[in-house]
Amino acid sequence: MKVNLVNEGEQLVAQLSGRLDTAAAVEIAPDFQTLAEQASKHIILDCSQLEYISSSGLRLFLSLRKESAAKGGKLQVRAINADIRQVFMMTGFISLFDII
Amino acid sequence: MKQSSRQTGANRGGLWIVLVAAAALEAISCIMYFTSRNAIRHEAEQRARTELRKAELEIDVHAIEMETAAKALALLAERHIDQPDSIFSATRLAVSTLTANTSMAVAFIPDYFPQRGKYFEACSSRFSEDSIYTRQIGSKDHDYTQMEWWQNGFVHDSCWWCEPYLDDSGSQTIVVSCSYPVRDRQGKVVAVVCIDMSLGELKNLSDYLQVYPNSYYSIRSSSGVEIVPVPDTVAGKKYNIFQEEVDATGWHMEIIIPEEELFRDLNHIGRIVGILMIIGLAMLILIVWYAGRSNKRLIESTARNRSIENELNIARKIQMAMLPTRFPPFPDYPNLSAYGEVIPAKEVGGDLFDFYIRENKLFFCIADVSGKGVPASLVMAMTRSLFHSFTSYLDSPAQIVTQMNNALSGEGNDENMFVTLFLGVLDLASGDLKYCNAGHNAPVPLTVIPNLPLGVMAGYEFQEQEAKLEIGETLFLYTDGLNEAENERHEQFGEQRMLEQLAISRERSTQQIIEDMRQAVKTFVGEAEQSDDLTMFAIRLLRPSHTSEDHFSLVMRNDIQQIPTLAEWIEMIGMPEELNMPINLALEEAVSNVMLYAYPGKSGQVLVECVKSDRLVFTITDSGIPFDPTQQADPDVTQSAEERPIGGLGIFLVRQIMDDIRYERKDNKNILTLTKQL
């Protein structure tokens, strides 16, 4: 599991790749801490390389979502695959996030 | 009721036959008797007439002879009318011309020869062949002029026959006489010639008139004097009388034939025929009675046979009821396809197939009891009972068969009946087949060790064999009623045809395989009668229920870093693509839950197992503190991001993905069972 943070102009893009399981969630927790510190910005979570997500990953997403809302930032989720969309559907995350 | 009326009917029929036969015989006999009687009577009459004519002729011959002699003597006397001595010579001469013992005399009117006295009668008599005695017999004591023959001879101008009379002077026999007048030269009657003849001379008459040994005859003169009298014995009997008049003498002849004499032979034959008739009728009665009796016996034995047949039908029904009839047999084991049937021969036989499941193992057998009929069906029932008894606690086919053999070879088997049997134990999870063949036809596609049949030798050690039944492979069991089924030309269906048919039906269901085979045999056999029970039984595993490949397990430590191995493990199970992620997710949530909470502050293990059949059953077992995740409340997924708690999604996802989730605490272990239907 990898996270690449890229600045695209005003936007901060986090490129997630690999499987975001329980173990990976622990592994990338610091990256999401970094993102949370810049939550007032326009953050895009690029999921085009993300294969899988479990509840630990969802927790990271939700924490960032709350932080962004609190700091008046903007959070968008980009290019989720079918599996992840299915999990988003089950958990109601599909309506919590701005998915592009 | 039916039987007795039938029997009476048979007896009545027999009685009619006897009566009609008797009437016919009686009628034929009567017609023959009366026809014969008439023929005999007619014949007797003809014969009597013939004999009477012969007798008449005989009498006529004698009469004419006597008349001729009388006339000749009269002529001689007329020539020598004046010479008394010549008259003697004339009588002597006349007698000598006759062969019969006769007496001839010339009696003159009184005082014709004065010198010779008042009465003159010259007489010659023959007493024997050589001696003729001549003398003058007229005298006062023998006054011939007073006699009938003289007076009538004197007045008649022709021969006059007097009535027969007893000659008391000479022969002491019945005598007849004939008189003829003698004239002088002037034509005046001066003497009478008399010729006597004893009726003894007519002895030939009896040759003619005695027509039957016991018949009679009588001769009467015209005035009724009996020349030959009717015997006294004639009185009071029934006679046939035939009569004839003799022209010359006016005599009357009768032939008297007693009825019993006339019909003696006929009556004799009649008696014989009567006896034969009675014997014939008796034989007919005997035959009719015997036929009636055997008919009755036939009816009785038919009824008895019907009753036996009925009982055999009941036996047949009971026997058929012992065979499995419910297919598919085990709804709880959809991966097991089995079908079998017995096509019974006309007679009760001893074919058997049976099966049941114990501890996920199919125990099954097929058997053929030697012989037919009730004994075979009893042994069949016994074999079935033994199969159930020993398979209830023994797992090894060889042990089961050995026990069954010992039971069947015991003292009960006095009839020396034996049973060929194939017994198999199929592990429904693995397809491992253990089997023991006791002299039965080898099921297709197995090879078998030729063990003895059951019931031959107690204590025999049966050999066990092993094979593996692959998924989709069919085990086909049969009895010799199949391969030995014969057509009208006595050709057998044979194993080759059977194998060819099995190859054709290979892709079809077990029931269709057997139906195809039944049809093939029926086509082959044609009109020939089925002589033996035909049993077929097919077993196939569709998809192994609990095979080792589908039993997966994974042991993990309570370390989150091990979570990625779970994904690899799930990959290995192999499941539909679209389920991979959700199953993975659900398991990860459940397992990570255990890892994080079951062993607080220490290390422990998590066992993950999967049993895959038509569904996926995962069990997650740990030895940690009691923890029931199913008690956890679901999060409200409709809440806004601000309201949503961070945690609590894991078990929610498990519940969302899986069809069933159960928790139990057992042996100090937490066992979470997750089920997903495929």
Side-chain angles (χ1 to χ4, degrees):
Chain A
M1 181 69 204
K2 273 185 184 174
V3 181
N4 275 334
L5 298 179
V6 181
N7 284 305
E8 289 182 13
E10 290 293 305
Q11 299 161 356
L12 179 60
V13 177
Q15 296 175 332
L16 309 176
S17 61
R19 295 172 58 85
L20 182 47
D21 59 16
T22 310
V26 176
E27 194 183 324
I28 65 164
D31 294 310
F32 269 78
Q33 189 56 47
T34 307
L35 286 171
E37 286 161 13
Q38 300 178 55
S40 55
K41 291 183 181 174
H42 183 187
I43 298 170
I44 295 172
L45 296 176
D46 185 359
C47 296
S48 56
Q49 301 300 310
L50 186 66
E51 297 165 24
Y52 171 84
I53 192 166
S54 71
S55 65
S56 307
L58 292 175
R59 268 208 296 276
L60 293 177
F61 274 43
L62 183 58
S63 298
L64 186 60
R65 169 73 179 80
K66 282 177 180 271
E67 197 66 29
S68 173
K71 291 182 175 172
K74 186 178 182 183
L75 180 66
Q76 288 185 305
V77 178
R78 190 162 74 190
I80 52 170
N81 70 16
D83 282 348
I84 293 166
R85 179 175 288 275
Q86 194 186 345
V87 178
F88 271 54
M89 295 286 283
M90 285 190 284
T91 52
F93 274 36
I94 200 86
S95 56
L96 293 183
F97 288 86
D98 183 8
I99 297 162
I100 54 174
Chain B
M1 246 347 239
K2 247 176 200 172
Q3 278 178 43
S4 73
S5 75
R6 226 178 262 173
Q7 193 186 328
T8 316
N11 282 356
R12 200 178 295 142
L15 190 68
W16 274 110
I17 291 170
V18 173
L19 283 177
V20 168
L25 278 174
E26 184 62 30
I28 291 166
S29 304
C30 284
I31 290 165
M32 275 190 68
Y33 181 77
F34 286 107
T35 309
S36 305
R37 226 176 128 92
N38 286 339
I40 287 168
R41 194 196 300 277
H42 184 71
E43 205 267 340
E45 193 178 334
Q46 289 295 319
R47 189 170 163 189
R49 296 248 171 272
T50 307
E51 296 306 317
L52 281 169
R53 286 208 190 91
K54 282 184 187 167
E56 185 193 1
L57 199 64
E58 179 78 13
I59 291 167
D60 276 348
V61 165
H62 281 281
I64 289 164
E65 193 179 27
M66 283 171 74
E67 280 185 19
T68 307
K71 282 177 182 170
L73 182 56
L75 202 61
L76 272 175
E78 280 171 4
R79 293 261 172 92
H80 306 281
I81 198 72
D82 300 329
Q83 301 157 316
D85 292 333
S86 298
I87 299 300
F88 285 106
S89 302
T91 60
R92 193 176 182 89
L93 187 67
V95 167
S96 70
T97 60
L98 294 172
T99 54
N101 288 346
T102 54
S103 187
M104 293 182 80
V106 183
F108 284 82
I109 55 173
D111 297 319
Y112 188 76
F113 295 112
Q115 71 275 21
R116 297 287 172 131
K118 189 180 179 182
Y119 304 100
F120 181 77
E121 184 185 2
C123 176
S124 290
S125 302
R126 182 199 285 276
F127 295 118
S128 66
E129 207 171 313
D130 309 322
S131 103
I132 295 168
Y133 177 44
T134 306
R135 74 270 185 215
Q136 196 289 120
I137 56 172
S139 67
K140 200 177 172 184
D141 297 331
H142 182 70
D143 183 359
Y144 47 81
T145 57
Q146 298 305 310
M147 288 181 184
E148 196 183 15
W149 61 268
W150 195 86
Q151 289 169 353
N152 280 299
F154 193 77
V155 296
H156 287 88
D157 197 27
S158 61
C159 274
W160 181 84
W161 287 92
C162 74
E163 290 295 305
Y165 60 95
L166 183 69
D167 176 22
D168 51 357
S169 62
S171 63
Q172 295 294 326
T173 57
I174 297 286
V175 167
V176 289
S177 60
C178 165
S179 310
Y180 196 77
V182 178
R183 297 168 191 277
D184 63 8
R185 290 186 180 87
Q186 285 77 40
K188 185 185 162 194
V189 176
V190 292
V192 173
V193 170
C194 175
I195 178 162
D196 292 339
M197 186 173 70
S198 165
L199 281 177
E201 295 301 320
L202 293 173
K203 58 179 178 279
N204 284 343
L205 284 182
S206 70
D207 293 347
Y208 305 132
L209 298 177
Q210 191 74 48
V211 288
Y212 294 101
N214 291 322
S215 68
Y216 309 99
Y217 64 94
S218 73
I219 304 171
R220 276 178 290 130
S221 69
S222 54
S223 62
V225 173
E226 288 184 329
I227 301 162
V228 176
V230 176
D232 296 339
T233 52
V234 167
K237 290 185 182 173
K238 220 175 161 187
Y239 296 93
N240 283 278
I241 297 170
F242 308 99
Q243 305 177 356
E244 189 72 40
E245 294 283 332
V246 182
D247 291 340
T249 58
W251 292 357
H252 183 84
M253 291 188 298
E254 280 181 353
I255 289 176
I256 303 160
I257 308 166
E259 285 259 308
E260 62 175 13
E261 176 63 25
L262 185 60
F263 300 120
R264 179 192 295 279
D265 287 350
L266 182 63
N267 288 342
H268 185 61
I269 290 166
R271 272 193 293 278
I272 289 170
V273 167
I275 289 165
L276 288 175
M277 231 168 72
I278 287 163
I279 290 170
L281 277 175
M283 282 173 73
L284 192 64
I285 289 168
L286 204 71
I287 288 164
V288 165
W289 173 76
Y290 186 77
R293 228 177 64 135
S294 56
N295 192 26
K296 186 183 157 192
R297 260 210 306 270
L298 188 68
I299 289 164
E300 279 172 358
S301 75
T302 305
R304 203 161 46 232
N305 284 348
R306 206 175 293 134
S307 150
I308 289 168
E309 205 173 305
N310 202 25
E311 280 168 18
L312 285 179
N313 279 339
I314 292 167
R316 158 71 73 203
K317 278 178 188 163
I318 291 170
Q319 190 190 7
M320 286 297 149
M322 290 178 188
L323 300 170
T325 48
R326 203 160 56 101
F327 296 102
F330 304 109
D332 290 344
Y333 293 86
N335 62 315
L336 172 65
S337 170
Y339 186 81
E341 65 177 31
V342 175
I343 304 167
K346 208 172 173 185
E347 212 181 329
V348 179
D351 271 16
L352 163 73
F353 77 98
D354 207 352
F355 53 87
Y356 80 103
I357 292 175
R358 175 169 67 82
E359 291 167 7
N360 213 34
K361 289 191 181 91
L362 177 74
F363 293 80
F364 62 97
C365 74
I366 187 166
D368 185 357
V369 179
S370 65
K372 284 176 191 142
V374 173
S377 71
L378 288 174
V379 173
M380 171 260 188
M382 198 168 152
T383 306
R384 178 182 174 274
S385 169
L386 291 170
F387 168 74
H388 281 274
S389 301
F390 293 119
T391 50
S392 66
Y393 64 94
L394 292 172
D395 288 333
S396 152
Q399 282 179 21
I400 296 165
V401 172
T402 301
Q403 293 296 324
M404 288 176 75
N405 177 52
N406 288 341
L408 283 169
S409 308
E411 286 177 7
N413 190 7
D414 295 334
E415 301 297 322
N416 291 319
M417 299 195 73
F418 60 89
V419 183
T420 67
L421 170 115
F422 177 92
L423 188 142
V425 178
L426 176 66
D427 188 319
L428 293 174
S430 65
D432 286 336
L433 173 66
K434 291 179 177 178
Y435 61 93
C436 179
N437 187 61
H440 196 80
N441 302 56
V444 182
L446 301 178
T447 52
V448 295
I449 297 167
N451 287 313
L452 282 180
L454 305 184
V456 175
M457 188 169 83
Y460 182 80
E461 292 282 334
F462 286 86
Q463 301 292 307
E464 187 169 305
Q465 290 172 273
E466 284 184 19
K468 188 169 179 68
L469 190 62
E470 301 294 344
I471 299 162
E473 195 181 8
T474 306
L475 183 63
F476 180 77
L477 303 97
Y478 63 98
T479 59
D480 56 12
L482 175 62
N483 55 322
E484 290 174 9
E486 284 189 353
N487 64 10
E488 284 159 316
R489 292 192 300 278
H490 296 288
E491 294 164 344
Q492 294 195 343
F493 186 67
E495 285 181 26
Q496 194 53 43
R497 281 189 188 84
M498 180 185 80
L499 292 172
E500 283 165 10
Q501 181 57 45
L502 281 177
I504 291 166
S505 307
R506 198 177 56 201
E507 298 299 325
R508 291 164 71 78
S509 75
T510 50
Q511 182 167 356
Q512 284 166 333
I513 286 172
I514 283 169
E515 279 168 4
D516 288 352
M517 189 65 78
R518 189 209 300 138
Q519 194 54 46
V521 171
K522 193 180 169 189
T523 308
F524 174 79
V525 166
E527 295 297 310
E529 193 179 324
Q530 186 187 343
S531 62
D532 199 0
D533 281 356
L534 196 174
T535 303
M536 294 181 278
F537 182 28
I539 299 169
R540 182 191 287 162
L541 289 177
L542 298 177
R543 191 167 55 205
S545 52
H546 300 160
T547 62
S548 59
E549 289 95 340
D550 281 2
H551 188 257
F552 303 88
S553 61
L554 177 68
V555 181
M556 303 167 90
R557 282 177 292 111
N558 60 336
D559 182 359
I560 290 297
Q561 296 307 315
Q562 292 214 316
I563 286 293
T565 59
L566 190 61
E568 293 167 20
W569 182 75
I570 287 165
E571 196 80 37
M572 207 174 70
I573 291 171
M575 61 187 76
E577 193 64 40
E578 72 277 9
L579 281 180
N580 229 328
M581 189 281 293
I583 294 292
N584 192 345
L585 180 57
L587 277 179
E588 188 191 322
E589 299 300 343
V591 169
S592 61
N593 212 36
V594 172
M595 285 176 171
L596 293 171
Y597 305 113
Y599 302 102
K602 56 177 182 178
S603 67
Q605 284 191 340
V606 184
L607 172 64
V608 185
E609 289 169 291
C610 173
V611 174
K612 181 188 168 195
S613 57
D614 54 334
R615 55 195 172 174
L616 294 165
V617 181
F618 295 92
T619 50
I620 298 157
T621 311
D622 68 78
S623 306
I625 54 168
F627 178 67
D628 184 2
T630 60
Q631 294 301 312
Q632 207 173 314
D634 281 345
D636 185 358
V637 293
T638 61
Q639 283 176 329
S640 68
E642 289 75 19
E643 295 166 319
R644 285 285 291 267
I646 296 298
L649 277 173
I651 293 303
F652 171 71
L653 280 171
V654 172
R655 213 176 259 129
Q656 287 287 300
I657 291 163
M658 291 298 185
D659 296 312
D660 190 40
I661 171 169
R662 287 163 201 269
Y663 168 80
E664 69 176 320
R665 180 77 187 178
K666 194 178 170 186
D667 300 328
N668 291 321
K669 282 176 183 170
N670 296 309
I671 302 166
L672 187 69
T673 306
L674 310 177
T675 306
K676 178 72 179 173
Q677 297 293 337
L678 288 173

